[in-house]
Amino acid sequence: MGLFGLFNKKKKETLDKGLEKTKQSVFGKLARAIAGKSKVDDEVLDDLEEVLVTSDVGVDTTVKIIQRIEERVARDKYVSTSELNGILKDEIATLLTENQQGANDDWDLPADHKPYVILVVGVNGVGKTTTIGKLAYQFKKAGKKVYLGAADTFRAAAVEQLCIWGERVGVTVIKQKMGADPASVAYDTLASAKANNADVVLIDTAGRLHNKVGLMNELKKVKEVMKKVLPDAPDEVMLVLDGSTGQNAFEQAKQFAAVTQISSMAITKLDGTAKGGVVIGISDQLKVPVKYIGLGEGMEDLQLFNSKEFVNSLFE
């Protein structure tokens, strides 16, 4: 069994509930688009394209999906509108699976070395620090020794918030004074984690995009300093995005990908929004695996992203 366990009934219910508004929005639009029509023709495909674009799937990914459906319609000669849901589900599932290639279904920690170091990036307000806290909870629940590094020294609230999560979860938080060098905090965190035989380290970073050069230099320095303690660190750079912002999340993802190499993503706040389609577009356009999705405020509501279950919940 993987680190976070198999996909169980409770997780399925949380996923279904979290995607309910997206599902209602997408299929409400789709039902209106094909009302009174029996065959999938150019007009239906044009309407479907509009449905996907307005559901935050994104233009480029929508075009890709439509092209695949066009090829299927051409091959099968006749496709009824009653079949469209199933075809759309198949194509989206295929797209998500392609973009999850190389991802481990259970996301367990590698057994060949520790600590496993995750550098967490993302703009302020996306739920970055909260995601770190929830991950720390999940790792500790699985019996792992966890260290957190408060390297977002630009905002006093960020350090304080991480410390609160550390106390709540019961894990060690390494911090320095406000305004301290983030690389110095990262160095101290890794040195302490290594000395105390920790299993996993999560490093919080400042979320500022107004100065891309400054952000790039800061992240570069943090990575270089980490390697002085652990040559392979960081093992992972995780980008946290707020799914409720739709296409703004996609723009943030592109900007971060331009300044640092992203190896995984966590998309938060999908509960209560109709913009869950953004998961499909971001995954497709960045070619980076979505690792976690946030579906609520509870510590259990940060779920391992399962593309098959995601599509099933969206289309059931």
Side-chain angles (χ1 to χ4, degrees):
M1 181 180 290
L3 178 61
F4 296 107
L6 298 174
F7 203 88
N8 57 34
K9 184 179 178 182
K10 184 179 179 182
K11 288 181 180 179
K12 177 72 170 124
E13 289 172 351
T14 301
L15 181 61
D16 288 344
K17 184 179 178 183
L19 294 178
E20 187 62 34
K21 288 193 176 181
T22 295
K23 180 178 175 180
Q24 288 176 355
S25 174
V26 172
F27 291 103
K29 292 174 183 175
L30 187 59
R32 290 190 292 274
I34 63 175
K37 297 166 186 171
S38 60
K39 180 182 177 182
V40 176
D41 54 19
D42 289 345
E43 185 180 355
V44 169
L45 288 173
D46 286 344
D47 290 341
L48 175 59
E49 185 173 340
E50 185 179 347
V51 168
L52 293 173
V53 170
T54 58
S55 298
D56 289 280
V57 172
V59 175
D60 291 339
T61 302
T62 293
V63 169
K64 190 179 292 186
I65 292 170
I66 295 297
Q67 286 175 342
R68 292 183 179 202
I69 294 176
E70 283 176 336
E71 289 169 4
R72 192 155 170 176
V73 170
R75 185 176 64 245
D76 296 346
K77 304 302 180 187
Y78 179 88
V79 175
S80 69
T81 51
S82 61
E83 297 175 82
L84 190 56
N85 273 7
I87 294 170
L88 186 58
K89 177 181 177 181
D90 289 347
E91 295 304 335
I92 289 175
T94 300
L95 206 62
L96 282 173
T97 301
E98 287 172 1
N99 299 323
Q100 294 294 111
Q101 289 300 316
N104 190 346
D105 286 342
D106 58 22
W107 300 108
D108 206 346
L109 294 173
D112 57 349
H113 75 285
K114 66 178 188 179
Y116 186 79
V117 181
I118 304 173
L119 183 66
V120 186
V121 301
V123 300
N124 296 330
V126 297
K128 180 163 49 76
T129 308
T130 299
T131 298
I132 291 172
K134 290 178 179 179
L135 278 173
Y137 166 77
Q138 296 279 23
F139 282 123
K140 188 180 180 190
K141 183 181 174 185
K144 306 296 180 182
K145 189 172 185 178
V146 184
Y147 269 61
L148 306 181
D152 182 357
T153 58
F154 184 73
R155 289 189 311 126
V159 177
E160 182 182 348
Q161 187 184 5
L162 197 69
C163 288
I164 291 171
W165 271 105
E167 291 176 11
R168 185 178 175 189
V169 177
V171 300
T172 302
V173 179
I174 304 298
K175 64 175 182 176
Q176 292 184 13
K177 64 177 190 253
M178 172 69 178
D181 181 5
S184 176
V185 178
Y187 182 93
D188 286 353
T189 305
L190 264 60
S192 183
K194 183 180 179 182
N196 290 282
N197 204 32
D199 295 296
V200 60
V201 178
L202 298 158
I203 304 284
D204 194 9
T205 61
R208 309 190 300 281
L209 268 178
H210 64 269
N211 181 350
K212 292 183 189 177
V213 175
L215 175 67
M216 182 165 58
N217 291 339
E218 185 173 290
L219 290 175
K220 183 180 178 183
K221 185 179 178 184
V222 167
K223 289 179 180 178
E224 287 173 349
V225 168
M226 280 182 169
K227 293 184 187 303
K228 293 180 180 179
V229 184
L230 296 168
D232 294 330
D235 297 286
E236 187 175 327
V237 178
M238 178 185 289
L239 173 63
V240 181
L241 298 166
D242 179 351
S244 70
T245 62
Q247 287 304 295
N248 283 341
F250 181 46
E251 289 304 312
Q252 287 175 19
K254 287 198 294 186
Q255 290 182 55
F256 265 98
V259 300
T260 190
Q261 188 173 4
I262 307 298
S263 52
S264 67
M265 292 185 289
I267 301 180
T268 67
K269 307 181 187 182
L270 288 175
D271 57 308
T273 180
K275 297 183 177 183
V278 74
V279 174
I280 302 163
I282 289 175
S283 171
D284 174 54
Q285 293 302 305
L286 263 68
K287 304 300 181 191
V288 173
V290 176
K291 198 163 187 180
Y292 301 103
I293 51 175
L295 298 159
E297 296 298 320
M299 288 200 275
E300 299 277 2
D301 293 334
L302 182 72
Q303 280 194 12
L304 170 74
F305 179 69
N306 182 310
S307 57
K308 179 181 177 183
E309 296 297 343
F310 180 86
V311 174
N312 283 342
S313 283
L314 202 55
F315 281 84
E316 280 176 357

